[in-house]
Amino acid sequence: MGHIKRGHLSESMCVIPPKALRDKMDEVLLPLINQSLNLRLQSNQLGGLRDTLLPKLLSGEIDLALTQQWAEAS
């Protein structure tokens, strides 16, 4: 961005919340961020399973009737 000069950056100001507020935000937000990351990982894994299994189901390579019988016997 050619119109921004180093002097503009030196003159800019930024508000930083007090440490107590930052700590409280961490306490609230970190579990949500971690949950979001875990859900994204699970979603990617499920998508991979879908991409692996769906073609086999559609081609008849995997027969759900046999799978359901096996599950009922367990």
Side-chain angles (χ1 to χ4, degrees):
M1 297 176 66
H3 63 283
I4 296 178
K5 309 281 189 244
R6 187 169 289 281
H8 294 131
L9 297 175
S10 298
E11 294 169 0
S12 64
M13 299 183 75
C14 178
V15 177
I16 300 173
K19 181 165 176 25
L21 181 57
R22 291 190 317 250
D23 290 344
K24 187 65 177 173
M25 288 174 59
D26 282 346
E27 182 183 318
V28 171
L29 294 178
L30 282 177
L32 295 173
I33 292 168
N34 288 334
Q35 181 183 25
S36 174
L37 290 172
N38 286 331
L39 290 172
R40 183 170 294 164
L41 285 171
Q42 287 178 4
S43 177
N44 288 341
Q45 290 173 338
L46 288 171
L49 275 172
R50 178 205 57 221
D51 295 343
T52 301
L53 292 175
L54 189 57
K56 294 179 183 215
L57 287 166
L58 292 174
S59 71
E61 187 178 337
I62 296 176
D63 184 1
L64 281 183
L66 295 175
T67 307
Q68 289 171 346
Q69 291 172 2
W70 177 80
E72 291 169 1
S74 304

